[in-house]
């Protein structure tokens, strides 16, 4: 994950189909070579997220999918609350309602994604999940060109499913698609929460809500396994790799990196996920599955560039 991971604080609901997890303010690129630093930070964040997901898959036999999600959200929430120290007073009922909805979207996105990777390889799971943000970008843009990108993405999904998801577990594919839908909701509500709370306060509070929501599910599935020292340590590693570290890296990068560039870079996450699945979980992809992932990545990048072109056209003086 997606974070599984996200995209806390996305600058607009029409944000490109990026697999992002941090605030997305527009920034100056700082010159051709000045952007190399933030680009490296974004890629490092993406690698951290997907290798954290691979670690989570390896932890599932010990704690179960729901248990792993519980550990990830709980540890990440504690770290974020300690770092951000969000102010609890002075917020309206509507503000708190937005935090709760954001937390529900976050919990749903993570829970569904981990159910997916418990059944299908990591690369295909992320590829199917990214269709949620892609669809959000296509519908928000309302440009004819985006129909081409949507068709390209659907072609990739058709290839990925072998013409009918015969090559993938149907339940796993369904969980990944549902996670994508929750991801789209996550992007919308993260943007709205970001406008109501300063810095990353809304994210920290929403993560605490998600952790509280998942705690009973994790206890029912895993019970005392959650406090096993080895399981707890590995769960903390998942939280740091999949949430805390990427948030930090991406926030640093976005101070100097334009949001559209960020979105294009994050569209590479299905490929990073496939690499992590191969290196850590020995999940080799067929040539057809690799081609399918490439098509979805191309569709994501194309949708981003179309959205950027539309904004630039509106900005031109008549």
């Amino acid at each position: 994950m997606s974070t599984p991971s996200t995209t806390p604080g996305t600058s607009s609901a029409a944000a490109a189909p990026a697999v992002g997890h941090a605030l997305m303010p527009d920034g100056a690129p700082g010159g051709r070579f000045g952007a190399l630093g933030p680009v490296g930070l974004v890629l490092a964040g993406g690698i951290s997220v997907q290798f954290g997901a691979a670690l989570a898959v390896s932890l599932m036999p010990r704690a179960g999918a729901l248990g792993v999600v519980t550990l990830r959200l709980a540890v990440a929430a504690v770290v974020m609350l300690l770092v951000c120290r969000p102010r609890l007073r002075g917020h309206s009922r509507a503000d708190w309602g937005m935090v709760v909805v954001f937390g529900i979207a976050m919990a749903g996105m993570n829970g569904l994604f981990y159910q997916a990777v418990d059944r299908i390889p990591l690369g295909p799971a992320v590829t199917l999940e990214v269709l949620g943000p892609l669809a959000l970008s296509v519908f928000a843009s309302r440009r004819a060109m985006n129909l081409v990108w949507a068709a390209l993405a659907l072609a990739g999904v058709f290839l990925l499913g072998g013409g009918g998801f015969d090559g993938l577990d149907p339940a796993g594919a369904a969980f990944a698609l549902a996670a994508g839908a929750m991801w789209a909701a996550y992007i919308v509500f993260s943007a709205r929460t970001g406008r109501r709370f300063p810095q990353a306060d809304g994210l920290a509070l929403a993560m605490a809500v998600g952790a509280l929501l998942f705690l009973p599910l994790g206890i029912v599935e895993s019970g005392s396994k959650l406090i096993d020292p080895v399981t707890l340590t590995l769960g903390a590693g998942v939280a740091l790799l999949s949430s805390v570290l990427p948030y930090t890296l991406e926030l640093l990068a976005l101070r100097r990196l334009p949001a559209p560039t960020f979105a294009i870079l994050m569209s590479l996450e299905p490929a990073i996920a496939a690499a992590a699945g191969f290196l850590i979980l020995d999940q080799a992809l067929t040539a057809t599955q690799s081609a399918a992932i490439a098509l979805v990545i191309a569709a994501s990048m194309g949708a981003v560039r179309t959205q950027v072109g539309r904004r630039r056209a509106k900005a031109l003086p008549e």
Side-chain angles (χ1 to χ4, degrees), residues 195-212:
R195 289 192 289 267
R196 291 174 177 267
F197 291 83
Q199 304 300 324
D201 287 10
L203 170 63
L205 293 170
M207 195 168 288
V209 170
L212 290 174

Side-chain angles (χ1 to χ4, degrees), residues 56-145:
V57 174
S58 66
L59 179 58
M60 285 178 186
R62 297 182 63 94
L66 297 179
V68 172
V69 177
T70 300
L71 288 173
R72 172 185 170 176
L73 290 176
V75 174
V78 170
V79 173
M80 292 293 291
L81 289 173
L82 289 175
V83 171
C84 297
R85 289 181 292 179
R87 183 168 53 89
L88 300 180
R89 295 182 179 180
H91 301 297
S92 67
R93 182 176 299 179
D95 293 339
W96 285 110
M98 191 61 63
V99 163
V100 171
V101 174
F102 184 22
I104 292 172
M106 183 186 301
M109 177 185 67
N110 281 279
L112 291 167
F113 178 72
Y114 278 56
Q115 289 292 331
V117 296
D118 195 28
R119 293 168 171 82
I120 62 177
L122 184 59
V126 174
T127 302
L128 291 172
E129 187 193 24
V130 82
L131 294 178
L134 175 60
L136 176 63
S137 179
V138 169
F139 292 142
S141 177
R142 298 178 183 176
R143 294 196 67 182
M145 187 60 193

Side-chain angles (χ1 to χ4, degrees), residues 209-309:
V209 170
L212 290 174
L213 288 174
F214 245 94
L215 185 59
L217 299 176
I219 292 175
V220 169
E221 181 176 84
S222 304
S224 60
K225 295 178 182 177
L226 294 177
I227 57 175
D228 174 76
V230 175
T231 301
L232 191 57
T233 300
L234 291 174
V238 171
L240 293 174
L241 286 172
S242 297
S243 298
V244 178
L245 183 59
Y247 295 159
T248 303
L249 292 175
E250 290 164 11
L251 282 169
L252 290 173
L254 282 164
R255 292 177 180 174
R256 292 185 291 157
L257 193 68
T261 305
F262 174 85
I264 290 174
L265 288 170
M266 297 309 292
S267 298
L268 296 173
E269 285 216 11
I272 299 174
F278 175 74
L279 294 174
I280 296 181
L281 304 172
D282 197 26
Q283 295 177 343
L285 298 177
T286 65
T288 301
Q289 288 175 329
S290 299
I293 291 174
L295 285 175
V296 174
I297 290 174
S300 297
M301 290 183 171
V304 171
R305 296 190 68 84
T306 300
Q307 189 77 356
V308 173

